[in-house]
């Protein structure tokens, strides 16, 4: 297919994970002729957006994330109405962390400043509210009462369906192999050539592979996450049905990353408990990364804190994070080509923001002023890291 004869799209979006799919949907809703390209046949489990569940919460230390989450909750509710499916289940989120530590104190202050419905649990009342969990000595605890679970696979399918119902075109099983920047961007896949007035790159772990065609590299680290499910000794002990909440244990030991869990639900009798970091991998070689250091940390945690679980993972699935040095996202225009928009580096916490990120990236692609302050997400903050070969 010759580019000269191909259709001119208002926007081409590369990557049909949650961020690309939400962006494409927002564009199509705004009457933009939009093409969404995906390298794998959909649905697939080789990126970052697959799996049945994700945590949704406003519990962040930074004001900008809390402000974005206010709107994201509204947009998730709107998506539920438009798609006619349940995407969110309220469970609450228990956060445990060093009571006098900086992170936990900042979190408490942000929750109070934004008046987020929160229950602060005293040590002596903890086990009465949260049975079958051992609170570590020196840890405080709070509950974000509106937090919960997003049904991830279902949400992704719903957004893609809504995009198509607005006239959007999805071409899956088509890998982008070249990008030619210009007033009209030319995108070549392994089976076609497409032109767009603007381009959005939301390629998850493959962001740098694609950005190379535009002369830009970002300081992104791709890690494999072992998604572990643990068997309940007594089925139902930690289940949504018993109103068990999601949880985050902040910095379980000095120098360690957070551990988080979701109540048993998708696999009855199994609770998801994961380490918020993994070992570096090439995205196409994910299954060759077999490091299990994270699982060793989780076994110790489960043994100490969750006595109702068998301390050996029953099911281990795989997923990837694409991590920036400060764990904040990249939401920006390309430094050289203003009509190329980049959404990357979601650092293992981007799913809950999908609808608001879709809105913000679509605003950038349409040349509008974004409706949230994007300064924390600019590429420029990596000045000492970013390697531009232009
Ligand atoms: C185990 C795990 C648990 C998580 N838990 C949470 C949580 O509880 N709450 C939360 O908010 N977030 C969570 N996250 C993070 C969240 O899931 C991610 O931030 C989000 O899914 C990233 O979406 P994405 O669209 O950027 O990437 P992806 O889903 O990876 O999508 C990128 C897409 O681009 C496609 N692509 C790449 N290159 C090309 C190419 N050349 N041509 C065509 N297509 C291409 C890929 O195939 C892929 O489908 C978790 C992530 C993991 C892995
Ligand atoms: O983003 C989230 O809420 C989850 C849980 C905490 C760590 C990462 N993902």
């Amino acid at each position: 297919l010759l580019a000269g004869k191909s259709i001119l799209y208002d926007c081409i979006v590369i990557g049909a994970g949650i961020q690309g799919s939400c962006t494409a949907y927002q564009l199509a809703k705004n009457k933009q002729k939009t093409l969404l390209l995906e390298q794998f046949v959909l649905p697939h489990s080789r990126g970052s957006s697959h799996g049945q569940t994700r945590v949704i919460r406003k519990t962040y230390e930074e004001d900008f994330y809390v402000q974005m989450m206010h709107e994201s909750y509204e947009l998730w509710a709107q998506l539920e109405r438009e798609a006619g499916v349940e995407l969110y289940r309220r469970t609450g989120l228990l956060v445990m962390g060093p009571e006098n530590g900086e992170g936990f104190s900042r979190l408490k202050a942000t929750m109070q400043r934004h008046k987020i419905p929160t229950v602060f649990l005293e040590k002596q009342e903890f086990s009465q509210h949260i049975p079958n969990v051992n609170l570590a000595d020196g840890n405080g605890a709070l509950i974000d009462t509106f937090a919960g679970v997003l049904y991830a696979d279902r949400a992704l399918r719903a957004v893609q369906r809504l995009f198509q119902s607005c006239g959007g075109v999805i071409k899956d099983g088509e890998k982008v192999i070249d990008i030619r920047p210009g007033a009209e961007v030319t995108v070549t896949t392994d089976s076609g050539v497409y032109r767009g007035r603007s381009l959005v790159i939301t390629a998850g772990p493959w962001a740098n592979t694609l950005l190379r065609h535009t002369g830009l590299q970002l300081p992104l680290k791709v890690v494999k996450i072992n998604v572990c499910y643990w068997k309940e000794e007594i089925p139902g002990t930690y289940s949504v049905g018993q109103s068990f909440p999601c949880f985050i244990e902040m910095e379980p030991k000095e120098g360690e990353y957070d551990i988080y869990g979701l109540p048993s639900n998708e696999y009855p009798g199994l609770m998801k408990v994961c380490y918020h970091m993994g070992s570096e991998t090439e995205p196409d070689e994910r299954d060759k990364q077999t490091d299990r250091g994270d699982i060793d940390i989780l076994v110790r945690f489960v043994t100490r804190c969750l006595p109702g679980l068998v301390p050996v993972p029953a099911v281990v699935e795989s997923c990837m994070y694409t991590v920036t040095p400060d764990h904040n996202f990249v939401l920006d225009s390309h430094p050289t080509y203003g009509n190329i928009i980049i959404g990357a580096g979601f650092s293992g916490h981007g799913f809950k923001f999908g609808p608001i990120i879709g809105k913000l990236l679509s605003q950038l692609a349409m040349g509008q002023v974004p409706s949230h302050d994007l300064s924390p997400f600019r590429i420029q903050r990596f000045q000492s890291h970013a390697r531009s070969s232009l």
Side-chain angles (χ1 to χ4, degrees):
L1 187 66
L2 294 173
K5 292 188 180 164
S6 62
I7 305 171
L8 176 62
Y9 288 93
D10 291 318
C11 188
I12 299 174
V13 179
I14 305 177
I18 193 65
Q19 314 303 5
S21 300
C22 286
T23 306
Y25 177 43
Q26 284 293 330
L27 286 162
K29 259 181 127 174
N30 280 283
K31 310 263 181 286
Q32 301 292 293
K33 197 175 182 55
T34 306
L35 171 65
L36 176 58
L37 291 169
E38 169 54 50
Q39 64 180 337
F40 300 123
V41 173
L42 293 170
H44 74 86
S45 56
R46 296 164 72 175
S48 303
S49 299
H50 60 279
Q52 297 190 54
T53 52
R54 293 290 188 278
V55 176
I56 178 167
R57 58 183 162 108
K58 287 187 183 172
T59 340
Y60 271 91
E61 292 171 36
E62 301 86 349
D63 294 322
F64 54 86
Y65 282 128
V66 175
Q67 279 148 4
M68 284 166 72
M69 278 313 299
H70 285 322
E71 190 172 351
S72 203
Y73 266 93
E74 286 169 17
L75 294 174
W76 278 114
Q78 191 180 330
L79 275 174
E80 278 188 319
R81 289 193 297 274
E82 289 167 345
V85 287
E86 187 195 21
L87 302 177
Y88 155 75
R89 177 159 179 166
R90 184 176 167 187
T91 63
L93 170 77
L94 165 69
V95 183
M96 300 170 283
E99 187 142 39
N100 302 315
E102 256 181 52
F104 192 70
S105 305
R106 254 199 316 266
L107 189 69
K108 267 169 82 172
T110 311
M111 301 295 279
Q112 283 165 328
R113 203 164 48 249
H114 289 271
K115 300 190 172 51
I116 295 166
T118 308
V119 176
F120 296 93
L121 292 176
E122 295 300 330
K123 183 126 195 139
Q124 54 283 11
E125 57 179 356
F126 181 83
S127 54
Q128 172 199 330
H129 287 273
I130 314 283
N132 303 305
V133 176
N134 296 326
L135 184 66
D137 285 343
N139 266 3
L142 60 82
I143 298 176
D144 168 354
T145 61
F146 273 93
V149 172
L150 289 170
Y151 294 116
D153 284 337
R154 196 190 290 174
L156 189 59
R157 275 198 308 274
V159 176
Q160 290 166 357
R161 216 169 38 239
L162 288 167
F163 167 61
Q164 288 172 310
S165 69
C166 291
V169 178
I170 300 181
K171 288 186 185 273
D172 62 347
E174 276 205 48
K175 181 177 177 174
V176 173
I177 53 173
D178 193 26
I179 297 169
R180 289 270 162 84
E184 283 176 13
V185 186
T186 306
V187 175
T188 306
T189 70
D190 45 16
S191 48
V193 181
Y194 307 96
R195 293 179 302 137
R197 290 185 215 279
S198 64
L199 173 71
V200 176
I201 301 178
T202 41
W206 291 267
N208 269 335
T209 311
L210 281 163
L211 286 170
R212 190 162 296 128
H213 300 293
T214 71
L216 179 71
Q217 289 289 273
L218 297 172
L220 301 174
K221 185 168 92 169
V222 178
V223 298
K224 174 181 172 176
I225 303 297
N226 288 310
V227 184
C228 298
Y229 287 86
W230 309 74
K231 188 172 176 181
E232 294 166 319
E233 302 265 14
I234 302 169
T237 309
Y238 299 99
S239 68
V240 272
Q242 294 289 328
S243 303
F244 194 80
C246 298
F247 77 82
I248 297 177
E249 165 108 355
M250 295 173 76
E251 209 187 324
K253 272 195 191 158
E254 218 182 296
E256 284 185 358
Y257 291 90
D258 296 351
I259 288 173
Y260 62 97
L262 288 80
S264 64
N265 185 17
E266 59 266 39
Y267 297 129
L270 299 182
M271 184 187 189
K272 179 155 122 182
V273 181
C274 299
Y275 190 55
H276 186 42
M277 191 41 75
S279 299
E280 203 156 357
T281 185
E282 282 297 318
D284 290 317
E285 310 270 285
R286 183 196 72 181
D287 296 336
K288 291 192 187 149
Q289 171 53 270
T290 54
D291 188 81
R292 288 171 67 93
D294 52 345
I295 298 183
D296 297 339
I297 293 172
L298 288 169
V299 166
R300 287 196 290 274
F301 174 79
V302 167
T303 306
R304 176 167 57 81
C305 286
L306 299 168
L309 293 179
V310 178
V312 178
V315 172
V316 182
E317 296 174 344
S318 302
C319 195
M320 286 181 284
Y321 285 180
T322 309
V323 185
T324 61
D326 57 11
H327 293 238
N328 292 329
F329 313 149
V330 174
L331 305 171
D332 205 350
S333 307
H334 191 286
T336 312
Y337 308 111
N339 61 345
I340 299 184
I341 310 304
I342 301 161
F346 292 99
S347 305
H349 64 114
F351 202 98
K352 65 184 83 59
F353 294 91
I356 183 64
I357 283 165
K359 181 170 169 183
L360 292 165
L361 293 178
S362 72
Q363 288 169 335
L364 290 176
M366 291 186 290
Q368 297 173 357
V369 178
S371 50
H372 283 263
D373 172 22
L374 296 188
S375 50
F377 308 118
R378 294 224 171 97
I379 291 171
Q380 222 189 355
R381 74 188 195 274
F382 304 131
Q383 229 159 14
S384 58
H385 299 268
R387 295 193 305 278
S388 171
S389 57
L390 289 171

